[in-house]
């Protein structure tokens, strides 16, 4: 996500039990290891607020690292929206 300014949070709407990683870079790096890892966790509710450190402008990445298990033994997660509120 290419974001202007310095967002204080990321609001993610998605499937509970989805494990994520949030990363930041000034521009999209050629080397995937060059991203600065900011936060990681598990979505606990349909709407999740992830506190962000101050980073001005740049690119944010939301990487799903583990999907929620469904009742039939398969795995699936959905992200329906990602917002960077101005407050």
């Amino acid at each position: 996500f290419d974001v202007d300014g310095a967002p204080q949070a990321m609001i993610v709407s998605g499937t509970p039990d989805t494990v994520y990683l949030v990363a930041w870079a000034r521009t999209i790096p050629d080397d995937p290891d060059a991203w600065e890892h900011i936060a990681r966790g598990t979505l606990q509710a349909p709407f999740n607020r992830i506190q962000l450190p101050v980073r001005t402008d740049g690119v944010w990445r939301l990487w799903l690292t583990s999907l929620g298990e469904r009742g039939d033994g398969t795995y699936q997660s959905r992200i329906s929206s990602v917002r960077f509120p101005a407050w």
Side-chain angles (χ1 to χ4, degrees):
F1 305 94
D2 190 359
V3 178
D4 293 329
Q8 297 177 10
M10 174 188 284
I11 307 294
V12 179
S13 300
T15 307
D17 296 327
T18 301
V19 180
Y20 65 85
L21 171 72
V22 175
W24 178 87
R26 187 156 309 282
T27 60
I28 297 174
D30 291 330
D31 179 0
D33 293 328
W35 288 89
E36 179 184 353
H37 292 190
I38 300 295
R40 68 179 63 232
T42 303
L43 299 181
Q44 299 294 320
F47 294 93
N48 301 268
R49 184 177 193 274
I50 302 166
Q51 187 70 32
L52 301 174
V54 176
R55 299 289 184 277
T56 302
D57 301 327
V59 183
W60 293 90
R61 176 175 77 172
L62 176 63
W63 186 2
L64 306 183
T65 60
S66 182
L67 307 179
E69 186 173 3
R70 298 171 51 169
D72 64 0
T74 62
Y75 296 85
Q76 179 181 8
S77 291
R78 292 184 182 163
I79 301 299
S80 56
S81 71
V82 176
R83 296 182 294 125
F84 295 86
W87 36 263

